[in-house]
Amino acid sequence: MGKTYEGGVPLAEVVRSGFVEGLHRGSVVVLDAAGALAAGAGDVTSPIFPRSSSKPMQAIGMLRSGLPLTDPADVALVAASHAGEEFHVERVAGLLSRAGLDEEALHCPPELPVGDAAREAVLRSGGGARRIQMNCSGKHTGMLLTCLAAGWPLDGYWRPGHPLQQRLTAVIEEFTGEPAAAVGVDGCGAPVLAVSLTGLARAYLRLVSAEPGTVERTVADAMRAFPELVGGTQADDTRLMRGVPGLLAKIGAEGVIAAAVPGVGAVALKIDDGAGRARMPVLVAALRRLGVEAPVLAEYAEVPLLGGGLPVGAVRPVW
């Protein structure tokens, strides 16, 4: 796979007052239930950073390494990019406390919640940035708990050479079917591995197709059972999992999302400029190519544009 990402093709257009004022380019791959290519556009074989869309595979690696979680809600939180709502922060705090740790053990940086309502609530109360509010604090808590269970040092648990990260790398390579083309530093400070969109879609299809009782099915089932913990009350991937039966979805930064439906297929895409507003309309178009339909998809098929406070156009797929 050793080439660099070449960039994509126009996937969505920005239409204002009937005039196309811009385009969002990107790449998208659609796999059928057997894992064969059903459709695609752009560069789907070169490596990209999936960012937080890798979290389900990281959660699998943690559980395989001894992460002692029995509550599916906790498993969902470990695979989350949560909004920092009160119920997210309280659950992370509980996991840390029961392990004899506090939030200062987390390597993720102090931040305000990413969720608008949660951020406003913190600011109104006079609060500020905290590590536990960072949207990856569930993943980092899972990493700490895994190290405690496996007897690995907590110091440097986020470094690529640490035994934990070596184990997680092996799992991501297993499920994507590809060697990692590069190792980067994610926004939370943990490693992020470069794989192709095809490999990412393949991994999600494996998760939803796994036999009950397997670790990968445990992660997929937990995320689908507790989608509010994965994203947040208003998160796009949360609403998708609530609205489409059986669907597993996880957003990643820089315009990435991956989704799969058992017995149907999988999708992975990247919007090249990282624009979140183009991600969901393109995903809806891709899911519809697999025959997936649900009322929530109609809500995301176009993103409205406003002028003077009123709708005057939309971001809509052209692929």
Side-chain angles (χ1 to χ4, degrees):
M1 187 172 63
K3 57 180 182 176
T4 58
Y5 179 61
E6 297 176 355
V9 299
L11 295 179
E13 61 183 6
V14 184
V15 183
R16 181 178 297 275
S17 304
F19 180 83
V20 178
E21 66 172 346
L23 294 168
H24 291 290
R25 290 172 169 81
S27 300
V28 55
V29 64
V30 182
L31 304 182
D32 65 19
L37 180 67
D43 184 358
V44 301
T45 59
S46 297
I48 57 104
F49 282 138
R51 305 297 295 273
S52 286
S53 294
S54 296
K55 285 179 178 174
M57 285 88 78
Q58 292 172 312
I60 291 168
M62 291 184 231
L63 289 170
R64 284 184 176 179
S65 301
L67 176 61
L69 297 182
T70 57
D71 188 338
D74 292 334
V75 174
L77 188 64
V78 167
S81 297
H82 64 72
E85 295 170 82
E86 186 175 356
F87 64 95
H88 295 127
V89 175
E90 288 181 351
R91 185 169 285 272
V92 174
L95 288 172
L96 288 169
S97 176
R98 289 192 292 275
L101 301 171
D102 61 30
E103 65 183 277
E104 292 309 308
L106 299 168
H107 180 66
C108 54
E111 289 189 2
L112 290 168
V114 296
D116 292 340
R119 182 170 58 253
E120 291 170 7
V122 168
L123 293 174
R124 280 197 307 269
S125 68
R130 295 174 60 190
R131 296 182 189 277
I132 203 168
Q133 292 169 169
M134 199 268 173
N135 67 321
C136 296
S137 66
K139 178 182 78 173
H140 279 256
T141 296
M143 289 178 173
L144 286 167
L145 270 56
T146 302
C147 290
L148 288 174
W152 294 328
L154 299 186
D155 183 46
Y157 73 87
W158 61 90
R159 295 194 174 97
H162 190 280
L164 169 68
Q165 300 302 336
Q166 293 291 302
R167 183 70 59 87
L168 302 191
T169 295
V171 171
I172 290 173
E173 292 181 334
E174 172 192 345
F175 277 82
T176 60
E178 300 174 358
V183 181
V185 180
D186 212 335
C188 65
V192 59
L193 307 180
V195 296
S196 73
L197 288 169
T198 299
L200 183 61
R202 185 185 300 123
Y204 274 67
L205 189 58
R206 287 190 60 179
L207 262 71
V208 300
S209 304
E211 291 294 324
T214 59
V215 174
E216 51 266 39
R217 180 64 177 272
T218 296
V219 171
D221 286 350
M223 293 174 68
R224 291 179 291 188
F226 296 95
E228 287 84 2
L229 287 169
V230 174
T233 306
Q234 300 300 320
D236 292 338
D237 41 13
T238 294
R239 296 190 65 232
L240 278 175
M241 287 189 281
R242 278 284 179 231
V244 181
L247 182 138
L248 174 70
K250 183 71 190 70
I251 284 173
E254 294 300 323
V256 176
I257 191 169
V261 180
V264 176
V267 174
L269 67 90
K270 175 177 174 60
I271 305 300
D272 288 350
D273 62 8
R277 67 179 183 176
R279 175 169 45 202
M280 296 304 290
V282 176
L283 178 67
V284 169
L287 289 172
R288 284 175 169 170
R289 288 184 180 232
L290 290 170
V292 177
E293 278 294 351
V296 70
L297 296 187
E299 298 176 28
Y300 281 115
E302 295 185 353
V303 174
L305 292 180
L306 302 181
L310 300 174
V312 295
V315 179
R316 62 192 187 192
V318 296
W319 172 74

